[in-house]
Amino acid sequence: MAESITRNTPRNERDLDELLIDAEADDEQVQQQPVVLRRPWLLLLGLVLVALNLRPALSSMAPVLGQVSEGLGLNASQAGLLTTLPVLCLGLFAPLAPVLARRFGSERVILGILVTLALGIVVRSAFGAVGVFLGSLMAGASIGIIGVLLPGIVKRDFPQHAGTLTGVYTMALCLGAAMAAGATVPLAQHFEGGWAMGLGFWALPALLAMLVWLPQARRGHGLHKVAYRVRGLWRDPLAWQVTLYMGLQSSLAYIVFGWLPSILIGRGLSPTDAGLVLSGSVIVQLVSSLSAPWLATRGKDQRLAIVLVMLITLAGLFGCLYAPLSGLWGWAVVLGLGQGGTFALALTLIVLRSKDAHVAANLSSMAQGVGYTLASMGPFAVGLVHDITGGWAALGWIFAVLGIGAIVFGLGAGRALHVQVTCEKV
């Protein structure tokens, strides 16, 4: 019999352990399996190394985007497409993750996709204009699939420490992004291959993660037989508000990943310094990404928190775009604090607007699939506007539209309600 799930008061902050949404949460057999870890330290090491690889393919391109465009003869619109493709693939391939996990097991899928990620990075750096687009597509698709599966493994295998490991997972994401943003230009300058070697270097951490992850793929978790179907999610207004908030705040985030160094280079910074500013801003995200969900659950709902972090994000963006360069590092810190909070709150809303783990898994798939597809339009719009205007000043309008839109949908998503769906065993 279908269980009706109605709108009511969300769970408290203790339930934020469920920020680690399990892509296999619809499968009752997997959820009931006892967790026996012979070498938990090896699994934890593998999880951290895999998480470290979920951002370098995205953040490494931005500091050398000008060199790539010049070397391959790309205009700004084509460069915008280059920054858009990986983000688009995050959305398009995220819904595929649970399907693959049920068929082969999450551990085996992650191992195979790590191979695809490493190959995509190599193809992107070694095969000219066609390779740079094809490799970006492969890398984005790989990150989209692993990004859905990895948190669920953390939640399943470390159920008593899921909250703590949420911080470890977030830290690894930020560290990987910051390392690639700050080190790609120095690597490109060190090696004779220039930008190609700087980008290609990030295949090595993926290969290392693959080797460390190999023992996990051997143990697996068998076949899946009992699952749940959630109905009505795509017709629920609250689910769409959560999804659109996720997409719009992500659009601003991937504009920063894809274009901030180019914007700063256009304002007079060297590629190395521009990459370091992006790296520093990403590192600062750790502070707010860990604290924002806790603070947001202290009140009756999350609307005030959503407005505050988005206004901080917009202040940082406008500061980086228009303020004197003498205060740039301060604005980069403001930007990092804002964007760390917006992303963490997007994950928090998925949990708090869901009645149980089955609904949360499906809402997560919807929010990431549709949200990241929408988010990919932001980097493309930046390239298009830059191509038309020949400068960066007009980007403020893009920031404002996306930020205001995120606030509007965030005010709906931040209410103390649950999505109205039915959940039934199949």
Side-chain angles (χ1 to χ4, degrees), residues 31-160:
Q31 298 305 307
Q32 292 177 349
Q33 286 181 344
V35 178
V36 180
L37 299 177
R38 293 182 179 178
R39 291 176 289 181
W41 64 269
L42 184 60
L43 172 58
L44 185 58
L45 176 62
L47 289 167
V48 170
L49 288 177
V50 174
L52 279 170
N53 283 277
L54 297 186
R55 291 296 179 267
L58 304 176
S59 62
S60 60
M61 176 62 75
V64 295
L65 185 59
Q67 300 174 39
V68 174
S69 300
E70 183 179 352
L72 299 179
L74 306 180
N75 58 34
S77 296
Q78 291 170 324
L81 180 60
L82 187 58
T83 61
T84 296
L85 266 182
V87 185
L88 180 62
C89 290
L90 293 181
L92 294 179
F93 286 85
L96 184 60
V99 178
L100 293 173
R102 294 190 184 100
R103 178 66 184 272
F104 302 106
S106 294
E107 291 86 354
R108 295 188 181 96
V109 172
I110 288 175
L111 179 65
I113 298 301
L114 281 171
V115 176
T116 307
L117 175 59
L119 285 175
I121 293 172
V122 171
V123 168
R124 185 177 67 169
S125 62
F127 293 96
V130 174
V132 79
F133 285 98
L134 177 61
S136 296
L137 188 152
M138 294 171 63
S142 302
I143 294 168
I145 292 173
I146 296 177
V148 174
L149 297 180
L150 196 64
I153 294 178
V154 176
K155 182 178 177 181
R156 183 196 65 206
D157 289 349
F158 298 97
Q160 303 304 316

Side-chain angles (χ1 to χ4, degrees), residues 77-399:
S77 296
Q78 291 170 324
L81 180 60
L82 187 58
T83 61
T84 296
L85 266 182
V87 185
L88 180 62
C89 290
L90 293 181
L92 294 179
F93 286 85
L96 184 60
V99 178
L100 293 173
R102 294 190 184 100
R103 178 66 184 272
F104 302 106
S106 294
E107 291 86 354
R108 295 188 181 96
V109 172
I110 288 175
L111 179 65
I113 298 301
L114 281 171
V115 176
T116 307
L117 175 59
L119 285 175
I121 293 172
V122 171
V123 168
R124 185 177 67 169
S125 62
F127 293 96
V130 174
V132 79
F133 285 98
L134 177 61
S136 296
L137 188 152
M138 294 171 63
S142 302
I143 294 168
I145 292 173
I146 296 177
V148 174
L149 297 180
L150 196 64
I153 294 178
V154 176
K155 182 178 177 181
R156 183 196 65 206
D157 289 349
F158 298 97
Q160 303 304 316
H161 306 284
T164 301
L165 291 180
T166 303
V168 175
Y169 175 73
T170 305
M171 180 183 67
L173 288 176
C174 292
L175 183 59
M179 287 169 50
T184 298
V185 172
L187 286 169
Q189 293 172 344
H190 178 74
F191 295 109
E192 295 182 359
W195 63 263
M197 290 297 295
L199 292 178
F201 172 85
W202 301 106
L204 297 180
L207 293 174
L208 175 61
M210 183 176 60
L211 293 175
V212 177
W213 190 256
L214 186 59
Q216 311 308 324
R218 288 174 177 168
R219 70 186 180 99
H221 271 270
L223 297 176
H224 301 221
K225 297 178 181 179
V226 182
Y228 283 80
R229 177 181 294 119
V230 174
R231 298 183 183 275
L233 193 64
W234 291 78
R235 298 189 300 272
D236 185 79
L238 181 58
W240 277 104
Q241 289 164 350
V242 172
T243 297
L244 291 171
Y245 173 73
M246 166 68 85
L248 291 170
Q249 67 83 26
S250 294
S251 190
L252 289 173
Y254 288 110
I255 286 173
V256 170
F257 273 134
W259 285 105
L260 182 60
S262 296
I263 293 170
L264 298 179
I265 291 169
R267 296 197 62 198
L269 265 66
S270 69
T272 300
D273 289 341
L276 289 174
V277 170
L278 174 58
S279 178
S281 183
V282 173
I283 285 291
V284 171
Q285 290 184 21
L286 259 179
V287 177
S288 54
S289 65
L290 296 179
S291 60
W294 182 81
L295 292 173
T297 55
R298 313 312 288 183
K300 63 178 183 179
D301 59 34
Q302 290 71 52
R303 287 178 290 183
L304 177 60
I306 287 169
V307 173
L308 286 177
V309 294
M310 186 52 64
L311 290 177
I312 293 171
T313 297
L314 288 174
L317 285 168
F318 281 106
C320 290
L321 184 59
Y322 298 122
L325 291 178
S326 58
L328 179 61
W329 275 100
W331 292 114
V333 169
V334 171
L335 176 60
L337 291 173
Q339 292 202 306
T342 59
F343 177 67
L345 285 179
L347 297 181
T348 305
L349 290 176
I350 293 173
V351 175
L352 295 181
R353 300 294 85 89
S354 302
K355 182 73 171 181
D356 58 33
H358 306 299
V359 177
N362 282 268
L363 181 56
S364 177
S365 178
M366 175 181 175
Q368 291 188 67
V370 177
Y372 285 141
T373 302
L374 173 64
S376 67
M377 298 300 103
F380 181 73
V382 169
L384 185 62
V385 169
H386 179 60
D387 214 15
I388 294 173
T389 64
W392 302 106
L395 299 188
W397 290 101
I398 296 178
F399 297 160

